[in-house]
Structures are given as C-alpha cells and as structure tokens.
Amino acid sequence: MTDILSDSRHRVTLGASDLSVSRLALGGNVFGWTADRDASFAVLDAYAAAGGNFVDTADVYSAWVPGNTGGESEAIIGEWLRSRGNRDAVVVATKVGAHPEAEGLSAATVRSATEASLRRLGLDHVDLLYTHRDDLGTPVAEIVGVLDELVREGKVRAVAASNIGADRLAESLAHSAAEGLAAYVAVQPNYSLVSRGTYEGGLAEVVAEYGLSAVPYYALASGFLTGKYRPGGPEVDSARAVGASRHLTEGRGLAVLEALDRIAGGRGAALASVALAWVAAQPTVAAPIASARTVEQLPALLEGVRLELTPEELELLDAASAG
C-alpha cells in the first residue's frame, strides 16, 4: 500500500485547533466487534503505513456485542499504540456520553467517562474528545464548562460534538465565545450520498459560519455504498447487513448505486472510493470516517482520498442523491 495519506495535500487542520489530520479517519467501531485484536492490529498497521494518523473510537464501542461491556475498541487501540511506540504520530479521537453505564452529558458523567476512556487507552490525554450525542436535559453551560476544564487540565487537546442539532451547536459556540471557554472545533454527523439531510442545511450552515470541520460517520452507509448490496443479489455476510440493505428499498439508494456504477466503471475505481471522494469534496468536510475489518478492505478507502471527482461527476452524484 502506498504512503498516500502522509502527502500534505491529504492532511487538513480541524477547525481552529492545532490538530493536523489525514483526510480519511479510520473508524474503530469494528475493533473488538467484527475485527478481533489481531485483525484490528493489522488494519491499524496498514493504515499507519499508508500515512494515516487519525483514529476514531468511542467508549461505547462495542457494548452491543454479547459478552462485551464497552471500551473494547479503546483498549485495542491503546494496546496497539503502546506496542508500536507511535503515540505522538497518531491523533486519537474518542467519544463519551453514550456508554450504557455513563450516559448523558452532565459534568460528572463527562469527567468520569473521559477518565475511564483514558484508562482503557492507557493515555494521559486524548487529542479530540466528542460528546457522542446531545443531552438536551443538561444545560449548554454545564457541558461546555466541564469540557473546558478537561482541556485546561491537559486531559483533552480539543473538543467536538457528534449528533448535535444546529441550534444547540450554535448555542454552545456562542457560550464558549462569550465566556472564553474551549469551543467545539468539529462535528461528527451522519452524512453520505444516501443521508444528506442529516447534515446539509442548518447544521452545515452553523459549521461553516463558525469555521468548524465536519468528520462524517456512516460515510459508506454501513457498507451499502461499497456496492455489495444489490436487488436480488446474494446475501451479504455482515453484522451491519440489515441496516445497510434497507437502502435498496428506501430513499434514493438505487439511483445512487447507478450513478456510482457509472463513475466507478469509467474510472476503474471501487464504488467505495467514489462514494468517499464525494463526501470528502463537500464544503466543510475535513475527513470522512470509514472502517475496515480486514486489510483487504483498506485500499479502496485510501483511494477515496486521492480520487478527485470532476464537476460533471459531482453533479451526477448530487442529482442521483437529491431529495
């Protein structure tokens, strides 16, 4: 695998932070779930060898698996960092607020959950800490206040928000500015060719207004945009098959596949590469997140960073996915 992501053209700074990250973030949701320790290490090694430096996880990964309690992904990533001695070369992002034993964003929960994540990772700080999903029952002032404390204590370098609405994001940013507190530098929305309304519009407008970066998850729609799900096609052996296959009958899924087929065929590229290239080309997007449970799945993801779609190709995908 070539050293694609270390090229300066494929690095970007997140918002107003000092975090310089690869334009493809490696999703850690599969580590400890569909990828065991050895498979996870192999994927992490291959991503790092390609110049990748941005690894995304969460304290809840993967509490939904029978026998798991959450934090399995963090523990694997932490062990990998120690074994490879490359902590300073990797931007580690994790999320708190959705773990079944640490839900919500009260100050006490955010603090205790962050400290638990640090223990599992074996780190004295994380580079980027997300609130995993908004907690409307907790005032913005309390959430921003504890995040600022964690930054000032050196336990977190920068803060961000996942699954937050436009109004609450704007309120949070305004509070940070008024009080001189740490402010979100990025958002992590659900955003792909088959899920545009989850980001475009008000949320994207706030992100642009305040100079934040978007780091979209589900950029491949749980694997649907790889093209392995087809009407009447063979059953896909994947833990995410139910969620992914619904796009065959909902929304613009089939129209998007047709457009991806056309572009991928003309480019000699994988559908996943084209789908990621579209996300990466959108305004405010810094780095889509994509996961790989095997090393063999990684090249198509990396190619999505290098692939530059023409205006005509972007227009075709825009039209196919609109509505």
Side-chain angles (χ1 to χ4, degrees):
M1 238 174 274
T2 57
D3 191 7
I4 296 173
L5 297 179
S6 60
D7 189 311
S8 60
R9 294 172 300 170
H10 303 316
R11 291 285 172 96
V12 63
T13 300
L14 291 179
S17 76
D18 62 355
L19 301 177
S20 177
V21 301
S22 307
R23 296 211 66 212
L24 174 72
L26 183 66
N29 62 314
V30 297
F31 301 154
W33 176 24
T34 55
D36 62 16
R37 173 194 175 278
D38 291 346
S40 301
F41 272 39
V43 169
L44 285 160
D45 283 340
Y47 174 72
N53 79 331
F54 192 15
V55 178
D56 180 89
T57 186
D59 63 355
V60 73
Y61 300 161
S62 48
W64 58 86
V65 177
N68 284 3
T69 59
E72 287 78 14
S73 173
E74 290 177 324
I76 287 173
I77 291 168
E79 184 183 354
W80 176 75
L81 291 169
R82 290 188 297 277
S83 69
R84 303 306 188 253
N86 61 353
R87 169 65 184 101
D88 292 342
V90 180
V91 175
V92 178
T94 195
K95 299 179 281 292
V96 297
H99 192 286
E101 296 180 0
E103 289 187 294
L105 299 177
S106 70
T109 298
V110 169
R111 175 171 290 281
S112 63
T114 300
E115 291 171 350
S117 286
L118 290 174
R119 287 193 295 272
R120 286 188 293 267
L121 286 160
L123 303 178
D124 61 4
H125 73 277
V126 291
D127 301 296
L128 186 65
L129 180 71
Y130 290 93
T131 54
H132 203 152
R133 58 186 181 217
D134 197 10
D135 173 7
L136 298 177
T138 302
V140 158
E142 182 174 347
I143 299 170
V144 172
V146 69
L147 293 174
D148 179 76
E149 290 173 5
L150 291 168
V151 171
R152 292 178 187 274
E153 292 166 11
K155 295 177 180 177
V156 175
R157 288 177 64 188
V159 294
S162 180
N163 301 305
I164 191 171
D167 290 346
R168 282 273 285 189
L169 177 61
E171 183 184 355
S172 301
L173 294 168
H175 181 76
S176 293
E179 301 298 326
L181 303 176
Y184 295 136
V185 301
V187 297
Q188 190 175 128
N190 175 2
Y191 187 41
S192 73
L193 278 163
V194 292
S195 186
R196 294 179 58 178
T198 46
Y199 179 57
E200 294 176 3
L203 182 56
E205 290 166 6
V206 174
V207 169
E209 178 183 353
Y210 284 87
L212 276 60
S213 296
V215 184
Y217 71 91
Y218 282 173
L220 292 176
S222 298
F224 175 76
L225 296 173
T226 65
K228 60 186 175 184
Y229 297 88
R230 300 285 181 170
E235 183 175 340
V236 176
D237 181 16
S238 170
R240 300 185 292 178
V242 173
S245 60
R246 66 181 174 84
H247 296 293
L248 291 173
T249 56
E250 296 179 10
R252 304 284 297 171
L254 293 180
V256 168
L257 283 183
E258 183 179 348
L260 287 172
D261 283 337
R262 180 174 167 185
I263 295 169
R267 289 293 199 106
L271 268 71
S273 304
V274 177
L276 286 174
W278 179 87
V279 175
Q282 301 311 303
T284 72
V285 171
I289 301 169
S291 58
R293 57 185 175 83
T294 67
V295 171
E296 290 73 23
Q297 293 175 339
L298 198 55
L301 309 183
L302 297 171
E303 184 60 26
V305 175
R306 187 163 53 183
L307 184 63
E308 292 187 16
L309 300 176
T310 66
E312 293 76 19
E313 289 169 334
L314 289 169
E315 184 178 350
L316 177 62
L317 290 168
D318 287 345
S321 59

